[in-house]
Amino acid sequence: MSDLLKVHLGDRSYPIVFGEDLTAQVHAIAAELAFGGRKIAVVTDRNVARIHAKALRVLFGESPTLAVAAGEGSKSVAELGRVLEFLAACGLDRSGVVFAAGGGVVGDLAGFAAACYLRGIDYYQVPTTLLAMVDSSVGGKTGVNLKAGKNLAGAFHQPHGVFIATGFLRTLPAREFAAGAAEVIKTALLGDGELFAKLEQSPLSPGDARLAGVVRRCCEIKAGIVEADERERAGEGGRALLNLGHTFGHAIEQVTGYAQYLHGEAVAVGLCAAARLSRRLGLIPDSDVARVEATVAAHALPVRVRTALSIASLMAVAARDKKARGGSPRFVVLKAVGRASVVGSVAPDAVEAAWREVGCS
Ligand code: ADP
Ligand code: ZN
């Protein structure tokens, strides 16, 4: 059984296919490409290559495969160079096609390589983490990190198709699954109160029968937002809404040197901080803050920072956030559970209070 969602972006439109196992669907595309004389190259990481060796062989047969080191360290300019050289060594021409099979790191890196190689070739995504399935596989943001910061070099390059096979999640470490769940909770909070209520009633788990449906709904919400604002140009609303919890979360990641929190864990605390800020601004009642915290906690995610972080440092970092405008960070706030909006100037007192309430000092 598979199910399909179309992301409408004019001539960059593409389908996302959902199912537990999508071997047949990937084979059909690979056969079609081969029939058209188009070469395929696969990029994955070493964990996925080891754990899913058999599945990758079934999916891609003898296609040349590059397995980069697992982890954020591979989202580097140096690794981008290696991927580009690999594509060249495989003899890909303009009709060549890249398959990115892995988590967000592989998707961002291989997607960016596909965007640069011969000024842009087609690529398909086969996300294998929950985070990549609900977040990085919709929207076409690709890129690598620079010494000066995360995702500072990149391109918008929409995939030609995305295959979301939730069966891959069975082997995902619990901590990584939880980190992906943070983006699911985020998406529900900003766009679907009913989905949030479902997560609230019973938290998601790796073998969950609802998983494919929930992932699909998250992609649908994100696709709707991206379709309306592909390049994040809308002042109010638009893609910026997807940053709910992220102004706080990015600051936590940066202040802790990207060493203590997975992205999703920092976002989890960020969602709680955003809820508290929204409460301070009189937008939502205490009971909604409690709902957000309980749901975050039920997904094995932190609701407070693990050790107190300096509010002054966090505020300084947030002011330099890539999404800040003229030194004042933009915050996404909740207007209700399931509805969010962007505010440009928030009184620093309110932000400080939110930081304090999630354990910073
Ligand atoms: P993310 O998708 O969260 O952005 P990564 O791409 O770094 O992050 O993936 C997180 C970790 O999970 C990496 O160590 C990666 O090798 C590993 N991983 C990815 N997919 C799977 C899977 N299906 N089973 C087990 N481990 C996986
Ligand atoms: Zn995120």
Side-chain angles (χ1 to χ4, degrees):
M1 267 294 287
S2 70
D3 179 23
L4 203 132
L5 171 73
K6 189 159 182 211
V7 183
H8 299 275
L9 294 167
D11 59 2
R12 292 171 311 290
S13 297
Y14 63 91
I16 306 181
V17 190
F18 301 86
E20 159 82 14
D21 171 16
L22 296 172
T23 309
Q25 288 78 359
V26 175
H27 275 176
I29 293 285
E32 192 184 306
L33 294 171
F35 187 73
R38 301 174 68 180
K39 278 191 180 148
I40 291 174
V42 182
V43 180
T44 185
D45 78 24
R46 289 186 200 139
N47 284 342
V48 178
R50 179 172 42 82
I51 301 169
H52 291 287
K54 203 172 138 208
L56 292 182
R57 212 164 29 247
V58 171
L59 285 175
F60 303 114
E62 299 303 310
S63 298
T65 300
L66 176 70
V68 302
E72 193 71 22
S74 284
K75 267 180 66 172
S76 66
V77 174
E79 201 61 44
L80 171 69
R82 280 190 280 273
V83 177
L84 291 169
E85 294 293 353
F86 162 71
L87 301 181
C90 293
L92 262 65
D93 61 18
R94 287 223 166 92
S95 73
V97 179
V98 175
F99 276 82
V105 166
V106 167
D108 287 5
L109 173 69
F112 191 29
C116 304
Y117 186 69
L118 303 178
R119 299 202 181 84
I121 62 171
D122 291 349
Y123 79 113
Y124 288 84
Q125 300 236 30
V126 183
T128 61
T129 65
L130 182 55
L131 190 122
M133 289 178 185
V134 298
D135 201 38
S136 24
S137 58
V138 188
K141 283 190 180 175
T142 69
V144 297
N145 305 325
L146 300 182
K147 287 198 185 76
K150 293 236 298 179
N151 297 319
L152 289 186
F156 283 103
H157 190 48
Q158 303 295 345
H160 234 64
V162 180
F163 297 94
I164 298 188
T166 47
F168 277 114
L169 300 179
R170 290 177 191 280
T171 58
L172 193 64
R175 192 176 167 198
E176 297 288 349
F177 185 87
E183 299 282 359
V184 175
I185 297 170
K186 175 202 81 174
T187 308
L189 275 174
L190 68 87
D192 187 345
E194 272 175 45
L195 174 60
F196 183 85
K198 281 187 203 151
L199 303 172
E200 185 177 34
Q201 275 151 25
S202 110
L204 281 181
S205 60
D208 210 308
R210 301 170 301 169
L211 211 44
V214 169
V215 170
R216 184 192 201 286
R217 180 68 188 125
C218 289
C219 289
E220 197 172 63
I221 293 168
K222 181 160 183 190
I225 292 172
V226 169
E227 282 164 4
D229 181 22
E230 187 179 356
R231 296 199 165 226
E232 200 159 343
R233 292 202 174 119
E236 292 295 302
R239 272 190 97 138
L241 289 175
L242 297 166
N243 276 314
L244 178 64
H246 279 61
T247 307
F248 291 104
H250 285 149
I252 292 170
E253 286 183 279
Q254 203 174 327
V255 162
T256 53
Y258 296 95
Q260 294 172 31
Y261 293 81
L262 293 179
H263 173 68
E265 292 170 342
V267 166
V269 179
L271 291 173
C272 297
R276 292 195 172 267
L277 176 63
S278 312
R279 165 71 191 89
R280 286 260 154 198
L281 301 175
L283 299 167
I284 57 169
D286 283 330
S287 56
D288 281 352
V289 176
R291 289 181 69 193
V292 172
E293 286 201 348
T295 306
V296 166
H299 285 81
L301 288 163
V303 296
R304 285 188 178 35
V305 289
R306 297 184 181 121
T307 52
L309 305 173
S310 142
I311 294 180
S313 314
L314 292 161
M315 301 271 284
V317 162
R320 289 198 305 268
D321 193 274
K322 201 161 42 135
K323 315 247 153 117
R325 294 285 177 274
S328 93
R330 290 188 302 167
F331 286 93
V332 185
V333 290
L334 291 174
K335 294 202 140 169
V337 166
R339 205 151 49 84
S341 80
V342 181
V343 285
S345 58
V346 181
D349 286 2
V351 179
E352 265 184 55
W355 278 124
R356 215 168 297 115
E357 289 175 23
V358 295
C360 301
S361 53

